[in-house]
Amino acid sequence: MTQQLTVLSSPEADAGGGVPQVISSLPVSLHPTDGAGSDLVAVAGTPGWTEKALESIEAGARGVMVIRPSAADVTALRDRAEASGVPVVLDTEWAHNPAVAAAAPRFAAVNDENSLLEARVNAPVGVDVDQVLLAQLALIRAAVDPVVSLSHARRNRHGYDALAHLASGARASLSAILSDALPSSATLRIIKPRDAVTLAVPASETAAPGRVTVSGPDGATLLPTQWESAHRAAWRRLHALAEAGEACEDLSSFAADVAIVTGGRPEAAGGRG
């Protein structure tokens, strides 16, 4: 039987992650509260989010959701969360879309040292470029493989182009376009001599489905679509982890991606959290 957990969310988290809408869509699992002692706490990923997440754990929260986290040193938060068995789920822009999990085994079949991953994202003008790159790295990690090295060919207020290597030895080209003329979205593609896999993911606030297309000698197949937003999927995951009393690896993965983005410069990661 599903246990209903209470959720405390700040106005900033509500605005960034559509928390009230998600809660209303999961009435059996989640219930809003504005008081102390809530089971789950939503924190906006603006600078200082690691301290707020730590405070929530110290206050007894069974789980923490961080909405669109900015670069930060998560060492203290990770250690405390692991010691207490409290899951801290990072709700990045695309990684929790259900299509990502569906695409992962398909990408695994074509991901090797001879592969080239093409990754592109569209994001609004004015967003933090590091935050966009972190969200793209989280998507690549979830769908294909972790990025282990990265170098920029271009980076400015309009976006970036970068070359990277994955843990498998595959090469990757990453790009981002910051424009209000295009909706927020992400695309991943690996093309081999006989096979290809493409993943297209919309913005996290929409329930429009991600699309996974697998191509081969017999033609192209669109995998079954799942009509659920990335935000909602992230909350279902946090609820399941908190109900089971299990921590998760989001903070460790995030720390590795922050090191890639910042080149290991602590000051670029927002200092110690």
Side-chain angles (χ1 to χ4, degrees):
M1 181 176 179
T2 300
Q3 180 182 8
Q4 188 182 67
L5 301 180
T6 57
V7 178
L8 177 64
S9 180
S10 68
E12 295 78 13
D14 289 345
V19 179
Q21 292 86 347
V22 172
I23 293 175
S24 65
S25 72
L26 294 168
V28 175
S29 302
L30 304 175
H31 181 72
T33 180
D34 57 4
S38 59
D39 298 311
L40 308 178
V41 177
V43 175
T46 51
W49 66 265
T50 54
E51 290 89 345
K52 293 177 182 177
L54 267 171
E55 291 170 0
S56 298
I57 294 175
E58 296 295 344
R62 296 172 57 184
V64 178
M65 178 71 74
V66 182
I67 309 295
R68 293 173 175 162
S70 57
D73 184 346
V74 299
T75 305
L77 175 59
R78 179 186 58 199
D79 292 347
R80 184 68 180 90
E82 290 178 352
S84 59
V86 174
V88 179
V89 171
L90 305 185
D91 185 9
T92 55
E93 182 69 14
W94 301 288
H96 282 96
N97 188 289
V100 176
R106 305 292 182 158
F107 277 118
V110 295
N111 174 32
D112 58 38
E113 66 275 8
N114 297 314
S115 299
L116 171 63
L117 171 69
E118 300 171 347
R120 170 174 167 166
V121 298
N122 299 317
V125 172
V127 299
D128 184 295
V129 175
D130 279 350
Q131 203 165 2
V132 172
L133 180 53
L134 282 169
Q136 187 178 38
L137 292 179
L139 171 62
I140 295 171
R141 177 185 293 273
V144 188
D145 220 4
V147 171
V148 296
S149 67
L150 181 143
S151 60
H152 281 95
R154 174 187 68 92
R155 177 190 166 101
N156 54 40
R157 62 189 179 88
H158 302 295
Y160 56 78
D161 295 292
L163 300 177
H165 283 88
L166 308 185
S168 65
R171 295 169 297 133
S173 64
L174 280 63
S175 65
I177 296 176
L178 306 189
S179 171
D180 291 333
L182 299 169
S184 176
S185 61
T187 304
L188 302 180
R189 181 174 67 169
I190 292 180
I191 299 177
K192 303 296 284 286
R194 293 175 59 85
D195 304 285
V197 179
T198 302
L199 167 67
V201 185
S204 57
E205 60 267 15
T206 178
R211 298 168 61 89
V212 184
T213 305
V214 180
S215 304
D218 297 327
T221 300
L222 176 66
L223 299 190
T225 53
Q226 300 179 60
W227 295 78
E228 182 179 41
S229 72
H231 287 317
R232 189 177 189 274
W235 277 100
R236 285 197 301 103
R237 175 168 173 249
L238 178 60
H239 180 278
L241 289 167
E243 193 173 34
E246 299 176 358
C248 62
E249 298 297 320
D250 286 25
L251 291 173
S252 294
S253 299
F254 184 77
D257 290 342
V258 167
I260 293 292
V261 170
T262 65
R265 295 176 287 114
E267 68 277 8
R272 185 173 178 83

